Amino acid sequence: MCTCIYLKGKNNYFGRNMDIHYSFNEQIINVKKGKEFILKNSKILKIKYSLLGIGTIINNYPLFSDVMNEKGLAIAGLNFLDNAYYFEYKEDKINITPYELPLFLLGTCSNVEEVKNVLKNINLLNEPFSNEIPLAYLHFMISDLKKSIVIESTKEGLNVYDNDLNVLTNNPEFSYHKNNILNYLNLSIDDPINNKFENISYGQGLIGLPGDYSSMSRFVKAYFVKENIIFNDNQINQFFYCLDSVFMPLGLVKAKDGFEYTRYQSCYDLKSGKMYYKSYSDRSIKCVSFYDFIGNDDIQYIKLINY
């Protein structure tokens, strides 16, 4: 369960709520350009653009949940269980595993158009990181300084959608969410006017705006808030207020193995290269940038403390 949004304004912000019921040893990770990784298909990936994001590191390999590169391109993976489908090796394709996709695309592409061209030849490989770490079933939202797309690998193949709504949550498919928005065209920040009745409260124009934590409802609410929030001088705060509108407190969304809740929130300033974040246990906004990582190590990290 997660929500991702992209905002275009004075600056370009991309970020997400990570809603999950367990810790995956979340860390802020910096990968410097020039670093090489061996892919599952045995080929070597050389990183062309430095990366900054959140994920975990296993055996010196970064597994990003969300990340941007120095060119202002960002990606987030969101749970897409029961819909995501990965394939066997195909000789005529670039075979990349889902966990390698953020590293591969942002390490080699500088904008969405380049990503779309690369995706024409991508086959998402049904291969886990290891026997102990199974594949996560995900779809992805990618944004640059101009636009967003959604990537979904299903039994029909790899689908790429232009995302003019600039929002993504979880199941069902993106096409459903885009059509579902049409059911809420009556919503308005203006209160209804009726000469026979007097309004008893402000905000009645928003009656019907979903408030539950299902992915369908979060998509609608996040979109409506994003489209109508007024940006003041502190745009970072406003971005987090958008994410807060679908924030999951611990104890309200029960999963099979515990309660899903918003473990962290991220906000990437795609122009400045700064990343802002908050955790469930620490609601203060913190900031890091590419320039905060000094030294010669190709991979550096900061532990993201959470409870």
Side-chain angles (χ1 to χ4, degrees):
M1 304 283 281
C2 297
T3 302
C4 183
I5 61 174
Y6 170 61
L7 281 173
K8 288 191 294 185
K10 182 179 179 181
N11 291 327
N12 297 66
Y13 299 113
F14 175 96
R16 62 102 57 81
N17 284 350
M18 171 56 80
D19 306 323
I20 198 167
H21 61 279
Y22 60 89
S23 170
F24 55 93
N25 194 26
E26 303 94 312
Q27 300 168 74
I28 298 163
I29 305 169
N30 173 248
V31 178
K32 293 186 177 180
K33 58 185 173 184
K35 173 66 175 173
E36 294 184 346
F37 297 96
I38 300 176
L39 298 174
K40 202 73 173 181
N41 61 20
S42 299
K43 294 183 179 179
I44 294 177
L45 169 65
K46 186 172 183 178
I47 301 299
K48 291 171 57 177
Y49 308 113
S50 295
L51 307 175
L52 177 62
I54 298 179
T56 189
I57 301 175
I58 301 176
N59 298 330
N60 207 38
Y61 197 102
L63 302 172
F64 285 108
S65 48
D66 44 278
V67 57
M68 73 173 169
N69 69 17
E70 61 182 292
K71 294 295 184 179
L73 181 68
I75 185 171
L78 290 80
N79 197 31
F80 196 45
L81 193 63
D82 298 328
N83 283 310
Y85 187 87
Y86 308 133
F87 297 86
E88 298 303 313
Y89 190 94
K90 296 182 179 180
E91 290 289 346
D92 59 338
K93 294 287 186 177
I94 302 172
N95 293 277
I96 301 294
T97 67
Y99 66 83
E100 293 170 329
L101 192 66
L103 193 66
F104 182 84
L105 291 179
L106 267 65
T108 61
C109 299
S110 63
N111 56 51
V112 164
E113 288 305 316
E114 290 183 15
V115 168
K116 291 171 75 171
N117 286 330
V118 170
L119 288 172
K120 294 175 183 177
N121 296 310
I122 289 287
N123 174 52
L124 283 187
L125 199 58
N126 187 26
E127 290 282 347
F129 183 81
S130 68
N131 291 333
E132 294 76 29
I133 304 175
L135 276 175
Y137 290 91
L138 307 171
H139 57 177
F140 301 87
M141 178 165 154
I142 303 181
S143 303
D144 62 13
L145 296 175
K146 296 180 180 179
K147 64 178 71 173
S148 297
I149 59 173
V150 169
I151 304 169
E152 293 181 345
S153 182
T154 66
K155 289 183 178 180
E156 288 72 40
L158 191 67
N159 303 301
V160 180
Y161 303 97
D162 290 325
N163 184 4
D164 54 337
L165 301 179
N166 296 315
V167 175
L168 187 64
T169 54
N170 311 105
N171 300 336
E173 296 91 339
F174 175 70
S175 57
Y176 171 92
H177 290 296
K178 193 167 184 178
N179 288 330
N180 188 45
I181 285 286
L182 301 178
N183 292 320
Y184 297 90
L185 296 180
N186 61 302
L187 295 177
S188 174
I189 58 174
D190 297 316
D191 288 330
I193 297 175
N194 190 306
N195 294 329
K196 294 184 178 181
F197 301 97
E198 184 176 343
N199 287 343
I200 58 175
S201 172
Y202 294 126
Q204 288 181 270
L206 297 180
I207 292 176
L209 179 67
D212 63 87
Y213 295 110
S214 68
S215 58
M216 300 79 74
S217 295
R218 283 183 287 109
F219 191 104
V220 173
K221 189 172 185 181
Y223 173 75
F224 190 88
V225 173
K226 174 185 69 69
E227 289 295 297
N228 290 281
I229 194 169
I230 295 175
F231 274 86
N232 53 27
D233 292 336
N234 195 334
Q235 296 187 43
I236 300 300
N237 267 343
Q238 297 298 87
F239 185 90
F240 279 108
Y241 290 145
C242 289
L243 291 177
D244 286 344
S245 71
V246 289
F247 182 94
M248 286 187 186
L250 178 62
L252 295 182
V253 181
K254 193 171 185 179
K256 292 180 180 179
D257 301 316
F259 288 97
E260 297 217 334
Y261 65 102
T262 305
R263 286 190 62 83
Y264 74 78
Q265 297 168 295
S266 60
C267 170
Y268 297 89
D269 186 333
L270 302 185
K271 286 185 178 179
S272 72
K274 294 180 179 179
M275 185 188 81
Y276 302 85
Y277 65 97
K278 298 194 292 185
S279 71
Y280 190 88
S281 58
D282 186 351
R283 305 304 296 148
S284 61
I285 299 174
K286 296 183 172 54
C287 176
V288 294
S289 74
F290 289 101
Y291 306 107
D292 293 323
F293 294 85
I294 59 176
N296 298 322
D297 293 338
D298 293 330
I299 302 178
Q300 300 181 53
Y301 66 92
I302 302 169
K303 179 70 175 177
L304 198 159
I305 299 174
N306 218 330
Y307 302 98

